[in-house]
């Protein structure tokens, strides 16, 4: 019987070609957009797929694993984050779960930095201003922003992406780095002159820019709540390219409206893809639609990596990017 793989939404083709080269029968969802949980269950039921290439928009829980069946060895997530997957449910059924780390680190760091500079320089406000035909004359007071150069960046979560954002900040913009992480990294401190903060509360009042890079866990949900947002400087900016629910959006909206912080840039949302339309009325917020890793090069590499994880698992080997062993 043919080895069968289900891909839950159209992705860049490099990984698909790799899977097909193995002689696998690859079925890709034809829906233009993410499958709902019910649609995913229906797509898997009785189909006997040996592997599933899933996306962060797929909620993978007991019912989905059961629909996939016992012959399904792996769910290869096309993302570095895997908070969409119930890991315990996977463990209970001895299913491998893999992600796509490293290949997207530079792209997400770049996007984060782009947001930081764009926010401080009021670029999206400037763009809206131009499109409305409001630019009548160069003005010494027109849309005054803030420098990034030499300021203090507070990195919350010093993983692969947080560390690269800090790298660009120090090497490119001579910023000072303070960071919070559950683990101290003394080598990083030496390399970048960074200063460890043992709590987020220590970091927030000292940073001009706060960039979030922790995974979404029970302990990080609403990490940036009303109380902590109030600890930020009035002149400070918040950037979130990690996961939406880490920031309590209602509290952020108040902080932006009342200008208790200077601005925010978001690539991820608490109830993604929904966002309270009240945000659209604020000038001091910059919004992108969860595209921090969305370059052609990186999405092709993610496709390839997810496919390789499937190939390894189906060959009876341990896939390289396991987030949880079976
Ligand atoms: C994107 O958000 C990812 O986790 O890769």
């Amino acid at each position: 019987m043919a080895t069968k793989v289900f891909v839950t939404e159209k992705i860049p083709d490099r990984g698909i070609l790799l899977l097909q080269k193995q002689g696998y029968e690859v079925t890709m969802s034809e829906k233009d957009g993410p499958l709902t949980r019910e649609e995913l269950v229906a797509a898997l039921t009785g189909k006997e797929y040996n592997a599933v290439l899933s996306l962060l928009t797929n909620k993978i829980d007991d019912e989905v694993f059961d629909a996939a069946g016992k012959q399904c060895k792996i769910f290869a997530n096309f993302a570095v984050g895997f908070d969409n997957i119930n890991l315990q449910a996977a463990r209970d059924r001895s299913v491998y779960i893999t992600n796509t780390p490293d290949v997207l680190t530079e792209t997400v760091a770049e996007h984060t930095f782009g947001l930081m500079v764009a926010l401080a320089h009021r670029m999206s406000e400037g763009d809206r201003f131009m499109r409305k035909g409001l630019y009548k004359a160069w003005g010494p007071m027109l849309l005054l922003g803030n420098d990034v150069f030499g300021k203090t960046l507070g990195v919350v979560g010093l993983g692969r992406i947080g560390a690269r954002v800090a790298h660009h900040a120090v090497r490119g913009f001579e910023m000072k780095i303070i960071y919070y992480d559950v683990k101290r990294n003394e080598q990083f401190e030496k390399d970048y002159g960074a200063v460890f903060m043992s709590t987020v509360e220590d970091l927030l009042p000292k940073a001009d820019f706060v960039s979030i890079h922790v995974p979404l866990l029970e302990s990080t949900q609403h990490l940036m709540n009303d109380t902590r947002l109030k600890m930020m400087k009035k002149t400070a900016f918040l950037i979130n390219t990690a996961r939406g629910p880490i920031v309590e959006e209602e509290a952020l909206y108040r902080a932006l409206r009342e200008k208790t912080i200077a601005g925010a840039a978001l690539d991820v949302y608490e109830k993604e893809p929904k966002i309270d339309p009240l945000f659209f009325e604020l000038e001091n917020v910059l919004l992108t639609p969860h595209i921090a890793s969305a370059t052609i090069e990186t999405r092709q590499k993610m496709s390839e990596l997810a496919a390789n994880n499937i190939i390894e698992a189906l060959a009876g080997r341990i896939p390289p990017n396991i987030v949880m062993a079976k």
Side-chain angles (χ1 to χ4, degrees):
M1 215 167 76
T3 300
K4 301 197 303 181
V5 179
F6 184 65
V7 182
T8 65
E9 193 173 329
K10 185 173 193 284
I11 60 166
D13 64 355
R14 210 188 283 167
I16 306 298
L17 296 174
L18 281 178
L19 295 170
Q20 286 169 338
K21 219 162 120 197
Q22 294 292 314
Y24 302 161
E25 198 180 293
V26 181
T27 306
M28 188 147 31
S29 163
E30 281 168 13
K31 184 177 174 189
D32 182 19
L35 294 175
T36 63
R37 201 164 133 285
E38 291 66 33
E39 288 168 338
L40 181 56
V41 166
L44 296 176
T45 302
K47 300 290 181 9
E48 308 259 304
Y49 291 114
N50 302 94
V52 175
L53 198 157
S54 58
L55 307 189
L56 59 87
T57 42
N58 303 133
K59 198 159 175 43
I60 316 284
D61 55 15
D62 286 288
E63 205 187 336
V64 173
F65 286 122
D66 287 342
K70 285 196 174 49
Q71 78 300 325
C72 187
K73 296 272 174 294
I74 175 169
F75 274 64
N77 218 33
F78 180 85
V80 68
F82 43 87
D83 48 276
N84 57 309
I85 301 181
N86 182 334
L87 294 186
Q88 189 54 49
R91 189 188 304 277
D92 293 345
R93 291 163 180 80
S94 296
V95 177
Y96 283 127
I97 304 298
T98 58
N99 69 342
T100 58
D102 301 318
V103 293
L104 48 66
T105 300
E106 289 302 342
T107 308
V108 177
E110 226 173 80
H111 191 87
T112 306
F113 220 86
L115 288 177
M116 237 164 86
V117 175
L119 184 62
H121 284 248
R122 302 174 69 177
M123 288 188 198
S124 58
E125 274 186 82
D127 182 74
R128 287 190 289 274
F129 188 84
M130 290 300 294
R131 287 166 198 257
K132 283 185 199 146
L134 295 174
Y135 184 40
K136 302 297 180 210
W138 182 87
M141 302 299 283
L142 180 63
L143 284 175
L144 298 185
N146 292 88
D147 285 327
V148 173
F149 186 89
K151 297 277 171 63
T152 297
L153 171 64
V155 178
V156 178
L158 193 76
R160 288 174 285 246
I161 296 168
R164 284 311 282 175
V165 171
H167 171 88
H168 298 318
V170 174
R171 300 285 186 258
F173 291 75
E174 300 184 22
M175 294 179 85
K176 297 174 224 22
I177 303 294
I178 54 179
Y179 76 101
Y180 164 78
D181 197 278
V182 286
K183 239 179 31 219
R184 189 167 170 182
N185 183 337
E186 283 171 26
Q187 187 57 48
F188 173 82
E189 290 171 28
K190 256 191 231 131
D191 292 347
Y192 293 101
V195 179
F196 176 66
M197 302 278 123
S198 57
T199 66
V200 182
E201 287 79 2
D202 286 334
L203 177 144
L204 292 173
K206 300 184 183 80
D208 300 306
F209 294 85
V210 174
S211 195
I212 307 290
H213 299 288
V214 288
L216 175 60
L217 305 166
E218 252 171 59
S219 57
T220 61
Q221 177 147 10
H222 284 185
L223 179 75
M224 292 308 292
N225 58 13
D226 198 51
T227 312
R228 293 207 183 89
L229 284 165
K230 285 193 172 123
M231 292 175 183
M232 288 175 65
K233 291 186 195 179
K234 218 170 148 51
T235 50
F237 298 94
L238 177 72
I239 299 101
N240 186 13
T241 53
R243 281 293 181 266
I246 297 165
V247 176
E248 190 182 353
E249 235 162 62
E250 243 184 86
L252 177 63
Y253 172 74
R254 279 195 301 276
L256 291 168
R257 193 196 53 203
E258 287 156 26
K259 301 206 166 68
T260 59
I261 66 171
L266 306 175
D267 185 53
V268 287
Y269 302 91
E270 192 172 352
K271 299 189 179 92
E272 207 162 311
K274 294 198 188 97
I275 176 173
D276 189 332
L278 283 174
F279 275 91
F280 304 151
E281 287 162 26
L282 299 173
E283 287 293 353
N284 55 351
V285 67
L286 170 49
L287 309 168
T288 54
H290 205 152
I291 52 168
S293 71
T295 62
I296 296 161
E297 299 97 315
T298 290
R299 289 284 165 89
Q300 283 288 19
K301 287 183 201 155
M302 289 165 68
S303 171
E304 194 170 18
L305 203 53
N308 270 326
N309 281 309
I310 290 176
I311 291 166
E312 290 302 298
L314 296 187
R317 294 185 288 266
I318 295 180
N321 305 111
I322 270 190
V323 294
M324 194 209 58
K326 2 196 227 165

